[in-house]
Protein backbone atom coordinates (compact mmCIF):
# COMPACT_ATOMS: atom_id res chain seq x y z
CA UNK A 1 0.00 0.00 0.00
CA UNK A 2 1.24 3.52 0.74
CA UNK A 3 4.89 2.85 1.45
CA UNK A 4 5.25 -0.52 -0.29
CA UNK A 5 7.34 -1.12 -3.37
CA UNK A 6 5.76 -1.19 -6.80
CA UNK A 7 2.56 0.23 -8.15
CA UNK A 8 -0.69 -0.32 -6.29
CA UNK A 9 -4.16 -0.66 -7.84
CA UNK A 10 -5.20 2.83 -6.76
CA UNK A 11 -2.25 4.35 -8.65
CA UNK A 12 -3.17 2.36 -11.74
CA UNK A 13 -6.77 3.53 -11.44
CA UNK A 14 -5.59 7.14 -11.15
CA UNK A 15 -3.35 6.79 -14.21
CA UNK A 16 -6.18 5.25 -16.22
CA UNK A 17 -8.57 8.01 -15.14
CA UNK A 18 -6.10 10.78 -16.03
CA UNK A 19 -5.44 9.28 -19.48
CA UNK A 20 -9.13 8.72 -20.17
CA UNK A 21 -10.03 12.26 -19.10
CA UNK A 22 -7.32 13.70 -21.36
CA UNK A 23 -8.69 11.77 -24.34
CA UNK A 24 -12.28 12.80 -23.53
CA UNK A 25 -11.16 16.44 -23.29
CA UNK A 26 -9.39 16.22 -26.67
CA UNK A 27 -12.64 14.87 -28.14
CA UNK A 28 -14.69 17.69 -26.60
CA UNK A 29 -12.20 20.28 -27.88
CA UNK A 30 -12.47 18.69 -31.32
CA UNK A 31 -16.20 19.44 -31.27
CA UNK A 32 -15.16 23.11 -30.95
CA UNK A 33 -12.73 22.70 -33.88
CA UNK A 34 -9.89 23.36 -31.44
CA UNK A 35 -6.77 21.19 -31.44
CA UNK A 36 -4.79 21.10 -28.21
CA UNK A 37 -1.01 21.27 -28.47
CA UNK A 38 -0.75 19.76 -25.00
CA UNK A 39 -3.03 18.19 -22.40
CA UNK A 40 -1.54 17.10 -19.08
CA UNK A 41 -3.75 15.49 -16.45
CA UNK A 42 -2.91 14.10 -13.03
CA UNK A 43 -5.38 12.21 -10.86
CA UNK A 44 -4.99 12.27 -7.08
CA UNK A 45 -6.81 9.23 -5.70
CA UNK A 46 -7.95 9.62 -2.09
CA UNK A 47 -7.73 6.21 -0.40
CA UNK A 48 -9.13 6.28 3.13
CA UNK A 49 -9.86 3.91 5.95
CA UNK A 50 -13.57 3.26 6.51
CA UNK A 51 -14.14 1.09 9.55
CA UNK A 52 -12.21 -2.14 9.08
CA UNK A 53 -11.63 -1.64 5.35
CA UNK A 54 -10.52 0.96 2.84
CA UNK A 55 -12.42 3.04 0.31
CA UNK A 56 -11.59 5.32 -2.59
CA UNK A 57 -13.38 8.39 -1.30
CA UNK A 58 -12.55 10.90 -4.05
CA UNK A 59 -10.48 11.54 -7.14
CA UNK A 60 -9.19 15.01 -7.91
CA UNK A 61 -8.28 15.60 -11.55
CA UNK A 62 -5.71 18.34 -12.20
CA UNK A 63 -5.50 19.29 -15.87
CA UNK A 64 -3.56 21.86 -17.85
CA UNK A 65 -4.16 22.22 -21.56
CA UNK A 66 -2.64 24.45 -24.21
CA UNK A 67 -5.28 25.19 -26.83
CA UNK A 68 -5.31 28.08 -29.29
CA UNK A 69 -8.47 29.78 -30.47
CA UNK A 70 -10.89 29.16 -27.58
CA UNK A 71 -11.91 31.21 -24.59
CA UNK A 72 -11.39 30.12 -21.00
CA UNK A 73 -15.18 29.74 -20.73
CA UNK A 74 -15.31 27.40 -23.73
CA UNK A 75 -12.43 25.42 -22.29
CA UNK A 76 -14.14 25.18 -18.89
CA UNK A 77 -17.34 23.87 -20.47
CA UNK A 78 -15.39 21.33 -22.56
CA UNK A 79 -13.45 20.16 -19.47
CA UNK A 80 -16.63 19.73 -17.43
CA UNK A 81 -18.29 17.81 -20.27
CA UNK A 82 -15.20 15.58 -20.48
CA UNK A 83 -15.43 14.92 -16.72
CA UNK A 84 -19.03 13.82 -17.17
CA UNK A 85 -18.54 11.72 -20.31
CA UNK A 86 -15.14 10.11 -19.66
CA UNK A 87 -15.80 6.33 -19.50
CA UNK A 88 -13.64 5.93 -16.38
CA UNK A 89 -15.52 8.78 -14.67
CA UNK A 90 -18.77 7.02 -15.53
CA UNK A 91 -17.45 3.73 -14.15
CA UNK A 92 -16.52 5.51 -10.93
CA UNK A 93 -19.86 7.26 -10.53
CA UNK A 94 -19.97 6.32 -6.83
CA UNK A 95 -16.79 8.32 -6.17
CA UNK A 96 -16.66 12.10 -5.81
CA UNK A 97 -14.70 13.41 -8.82
CA UNK A 98 -13.35 16.94 -8.55
CA UNK A 99 -11.86 18.83 -11.47
CA UNK A 100 -9.30 21.62 -11.60
CA UNK A 101 -8.77 22.46 -15.29
CA UNK A 102 -6.63 25.35 -16.52
CA UNK A 103 -6.17 26.72 -20.00
CA UNK A 104 -2.51 27.68 -20.41
CA UNK A 105 -0.67 29.48 -23.24
CA UNK A 106 0.39 27.23 -26.10
CA UNK A 107 3.65 29.13 -26.34
CA UNK A 108 5.95 28.18 -23.38
CA UNK A 109 7.70 31.56 -23.56
CA UNK A 110 4.34 33.30 -23.04
CA UNK A 111 3.88 31.38 -19.79
CA UNK A 112 7.20 32.68 -18.39
CA UNK A 113 6.27 36.30 -19.12
Amino acid sequence: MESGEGTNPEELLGAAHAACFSMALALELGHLHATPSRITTQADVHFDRSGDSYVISAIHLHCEAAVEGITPEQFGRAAEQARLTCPVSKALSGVQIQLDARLVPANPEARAA
Side-chain angles (χ1 to χ4, degrees):
M1 301 224 332
E2 293 175 23
S3 60
E5 286 189 35
T7 304
N8 63 46
E10 296 76 31
E11 291 170 329
L12 293 172
L13 183 66
H17 198 181
C20 187
F21 173 82
S22 291
M23 291 188 301
L25 179 55
L27 178 67
E28 290 300 325
L29 292 169
H31 295 318
L32 297 173
H33 306 289
T35 303
S37 59
R38 179 175 61 84
I39 297 176
T40 305
T41 306
Q42 174 186 325
D44 294 335
V45 178
H46 299 267
F47 189 62
D48 301 311
R49 191 166 191 76
S50 177
D52 292 338
S53 63
Y54 291 88
V55 63
I56 295 174
S57 59
I59 298 176
H60 193 153
L61 297 170
H62 303 273
C63 177
E64 284 190 353
V67 187
E68 293 291 330
I70 63 169
T71 67
E73 293 77 18
Q74 289 172 309
F75 175 75
R77 285 191 299 273
E80 180 59 20
Q81 187 63 24
R83 184 186 71 82
L84 296 172
T85 60
C86 162
V88 174
S89 291
K90 287 181 176 182
L92 298 171
S93 62
V95 176
Q96 178 186 6
I97 299 171
Q98 301 169 326
L99 175 61
D100 173 27
R102 288 185 341 123
L103 181 62
V104 297
N107 180 350
E109 289 81 36
R111 194 189 311 181

